[in-house]
Amino acid sequence: MGRGGLCGLAAEISQCRICRDQPAGPALAHEPRPVARLSETARVLIAGQAPGTRVHASGLPFTDPSGERLRDWMGIGPEVFYDPARIAILPMGLCFPGLDAKGGDLPPRKECRKTWHDRILAAMPQVRLVLAIGQYAQAYHLGPLRRSGLTQTVAAWRDILAETSARGGPEILPLPHPSWRNNAWLKRHPWFESDLLADLRRRIVQQLGR
């Protein structure tokens, strides 16, 4: 798919209202605002969960403390992170899904994956590294390679990188969500920062040519 095709796909996504007008379950309670950054040149794809309230307001992915932590994990600043020629961003849910009774974000809308994700990934064959953030992205991108839970999946990151590379597609690196809610998880698993993040930063440099 060339530039016109990818731009056309992005334009379709920007007008998507399926979760409001043809929902799979309860309709989205607010006006949809799809947030994604597609690219025909980016070799790194950030596959997250879904926009939160701040991203819904800004229309720009990861404009929140989670984004600051993710950029620190990757070892890059906003100028690189938001360069669509270098990094593509595709959450499992393209719109803010709303809040649950406890004030947390609801799961990503299922309509997004069914409608868009296979088409989007087919339009970006140049991607060589996928950062699969959280259980929803890992379920989609890893399929049967995902382990029994998020901790087990992230802990198996070396094997998963090797397994995904061997099947001929992009390498996939599983990550927890960079939310402050995961601070306790990060403290319990010091190998994440000492080993996994060191490898992540090396791979980012390799893919971005920095």
Side-chain angles (χ1 to χ4, degrees):
M1 182 179 290
R3 175 177 294 274
L6 193 61
C7 289
L9 182 57
E12 282 187 67
I13 291 168
S14 71
Q15 299 300 314
C16 181
R17 299 296 183 270
I18 292 174
C19 57
R20 185 193 65 187
D21 299 339
Q22 297 174 305
L28 191 68
H30 53 267
E31 177 66 16
R33 189 178 191 182
V35 177
R37 293 173 74 87
L38 311 188
S39 173
E40 63 179 10
T41 58
R43 294 171 62 87
V44 177
L45 170 64
I46 298 171
Q49 180 164 297
T53 54
R54 295 191 185 187
V55 173
H56 179 68
S58 71
L60 192 65
F62 289 103
T63 50
D64 53 21
S66 293
E68 294 176 9
R69 173 176 269 176
L70 178 58
R71 289 186 283 275
D72 179 67
W73 285 357
M74 298 172 69
I76 60 176
E79 71 286 350
V80 174
F81 188 85
Y82 289 115
D83 180 357
R86 307 173 85 178
I87 293 179
I89 303 175
L90 179 62
M92 292 309 302
L94 301 180
C95 293
F96 170 52
L99 301 175
D100 61 24
K102 296 182 179 179
D105 290 356
L106 290 168
R109 300 286 305 199
K110 295 179 180 179
E111 298 93 335
C112 296
R113 176 183 57 77
K114 292 179 179 179
T115 306
W116 298 114
H117 281 66
D118 290 353
R119 291 177 63 191
I120 292 170
L121 292 175
M124 298 193 298
Q126 82 287 344
V127 169
R128 303 314 307 155
L129 176 64
V130 176
L131 307 185
I133 300 172
Q135 61 177 327
Y136 296 101
Q138 290 161 16
Y140 175 78
H141 287 278
L142 292 176
L145 297 182
R146 185 173 65 137
R147 279 33 176 192
S148 59
L150 184 139
T151 297
Q152 294 83 354
T153 301
V154 176
W157 60 276
R158 290 187 179 90
D159 290 339
I160 288 173
L161 282 167
E163 291 164 354
T164 52
S165 178
R167 67 186 187 182
E171 294 180 325
I172 301 176
L173 180 62
L175 299 173
H177 196 279
S179 167
W180 61 269
R181 292 184 175 89
N182 282 331
N183 285 350
W185 187 96
L186 296 171
K187 289 181 180 179
R188 290 196 305 270
H189 302 96
W191 51 264
F192 176 79
E193 183 170 0
S194 62
D195 299 340
L196 190 154
L197 290 188
D199 188 78
L200 167 61
R201 289 165 185 155
R202 286 194 296 269
R203 291 175 188 274
I204 291 297
V205 169
Q206 180 183 34
Q207 295 298 337
L208 299 184
R210 296 168 61 243

